[in-house]
Amino acid sequence: CKILWRDEEIARLEAGEDPLKPHVILLVDEHLQASDKEKVQERLNTWMSETIALRLKPLAELAAAEDVVGLARGIAFRLTENFGVLKRESVTEEMKSLEQTGRAQLRKYGVRFGAFNIYFPLLLKPAAAELRLILWLLKSASAHDLSPEQLPDPPRPGLTSMIVDKALPEPFYRACGYHVSGPRAVRMDILERLADLIRPLIAWRAPADNPSAQPPKGSTGDGAFRVIPEMMSILGCSSEELGGVLKALGFWNERRPARPKPVHVPRADRRAIDAKP
C-alpha cells in the first residue's frame, strides 16, 4: 500500500505484529538529513495511528480496553485479529459459555451479536471498510496469492449484495464486510435484516383462542416460510439467487401444494342456503 504526497510515493505500509499497527516505511530518506527524516517518519506514524483510531474507532477502543475480561477478552482478541468481523460459528463454544456480563462488555464497544456474524455495524461504513480491507491485504494478500500490483476492487459503497467472484478468497469478502452465502456475498448487516424477516415467520403459530387466524405474509404457521418480495428487495437479487443464499445458510426447499382458495358464495346464494331446512 502506497502513501502519496503531491502524487509522489513517499512511503509504503507493511504489516506489523499488531493488526492495527502497520509499519510505515519511508522511501525518501536519501533526500533527507537524519533530523528531517526522523521528523517525517514521526509525522507519518502519527498520521497512520490517528487515521486508524478515527476510522476504526470501536475496534481500536476495544483492542485497548481494560474492562473487557474473561471469555469476552478472548472474543475481543479474535475480533481484532480479524479486523472487526468474526463468524459466529467459529466461536460457538465460547458463545455458549459467555455470560450476559461478558456480552454487555462487548456491546458497550459497539459489537453486535448477529445470527451469522459477530461484527461492528459502524465498521461497515465505506471509509472504515476501505481501511479494514487495506489492513487485511497487508497481512494476508500474499497468503491468498493476491498480487499487490493487481489487487481486486472493493465493493462499491451502498451495495447490499453481489455475485461471488470464485477467483477471490472468502476472507477478501469478509474483510470488506460481506458474508459469502452460496452464489452471492451479502453485506453482514443486510444478512441480519434477512434473518430478522425470516425469524418471526418461522416462529408464528395460530393462537390457541383463534386457531383459524391467518398467518402473516410468508409464514406457513408450522415452522416454515415462503419467500416474500421484501427478502429479494433488500438483497437486490432474483428469487433463484435468494434460494441459493438461503440454502447456503442452512435452509432447504420443500415444495408444497398450494392452499385451496376459499370459495366465494354470493350473498343471495348464502340466503338461499341458510333458508334450507
Side-chain angles (χ1 to χ4, degrees):
C1 180
K2 301 176 181 179
I3 297 177
L4 305 180
W5 184 68
R6 294 182 178 178
D7 296 327
E8 293 289 336
E9 183 180 3
I10 61 170
R12 69 173 186 272
L13 293 179
E14 291 185 357
E17 292 186 11
D18 187 323
L20 300 183
K21 295 179 180 179
H23 298 306
V24 180
I25 309 301
L26 195 61
L27 300 179
V28 293
D29 53 339
E30 68 273 13
H31 303 298
L32 298 173
Q33 295 182 0
S35 59
D36 292 331
K37 176 185 175 181
E38 185 177 343
K39 291 178 182 178
V40 172
Q41 182 73 61
E42 183 179 351
R43 185 169 182 178
L44 286 173
N45 290 342
T46 300
W47 169 79
M48 190 70 252
S49 61
E50 288 179 349
T51 298
I52 291 174
L54 178 62
R55 291 195 188 183
L56 307 183
K57 183 178 179 181
L59 181 59
E61 290 181 343
L62 178 62
E66 297 182 358
D67 58 345
V68 178
V69 297
L71 283 175
R73 180 73 256 166
I75 292 176
F77 177 79
R78 295 280 298 277
L79 280 167
T80 303
E81 287 289 302
N82 289 276
F83 303 104
V85 295
L86 194 59
K87 277 188 178 179
R88 185 158 183 147
E89 65 183 24
S90 70
V91 287
T92 300
E93 294 305 316
E94 292 92 331
M95 291 301 300
K96 289 179 181 177
S97 304
L98 186 63
E99 298 179 350
Q100 289 301 318
T101 301
R103 292 172 186 255
Q105 291 173 359
L106 294 169
R107 288 193 181 103
K108 173 184 174 182
Y109 289 92
V111 175
R112 177 172 180 183
F113 296 94
F116 305 102
N117 296 285
I118 300 171
Y119 67 103
F120 295 84
L122 283 177
L123 299 191
L124 298 181
K125 293 185 175 182
E130 179 185 39
L131 182 53
R132 287 194 305 108
L133 178 59
I134 289 172
L135 295 177
W136 179 83
L137 288 169
L138 288 176
K139 177 184 176 183
S140 304
S142 60
H144 293 283
D145 296 324
L146 295 176
S147 169
E149 304 302 323
Q150 296 179 329
L151 294 175
D153 293 327
R156 60 177 174 80
L159 198 62
T160 59
S161 78
M162 73 194 81
I163 296 174
V164 171
D165 182 347
K166 294 182 179 180
L168 295 178
E170 183 202 21
F172 169 83
Y173 288 103
R174 295 192 63 75
C176 296
Y178 288 74
H179 184 105
V180 174
S181 305
R184 300 190 73 82
V186 185
R187 207 173 69 203
M188 292 179 184
D189 58 333
I190 298 299
L191 194 63
E192 295 306 325
R193 284 180 58 187
L194 178 64
D196 290 342
L197 284 174
I198 292 173
R199 195 175 297 111
L201 302 184
I202 293 175
W204 191 89
R205 298 292 187 277
D209 59 350
N210 186 15
S212 61
Q214 290 297 307
K217 183 176 67 173
S219 175
T220 63
D222 59 358
F225 70 96
R226 297 185 183 90
V227 169
I228 56 177
E230 289 84 347
M231 297 176 186
M232 292 178 282
S233 177
I234 61 173
L235 265 67
C237 68
S238 67
S239 59
E240 291 78 13
E241 290 174 318
L242 177 59
V245 169
L246 293 172
K247 184 177 180 180
L249 294 175
F251 297 98
W252 65 89
N253 184 37
E254 180 180 303
R255 294 189 178 276
R256 298 183 178 184
R259 290 184 177 181
K261 294 182 179 180
V263 178
H264 175 68
V265 180
R267 183 176 298 276
D269 292 343
R270 288 204 299 270
R271 286 200 299 270
I273 292 171
D274 293 339
K276 287 183 179 181

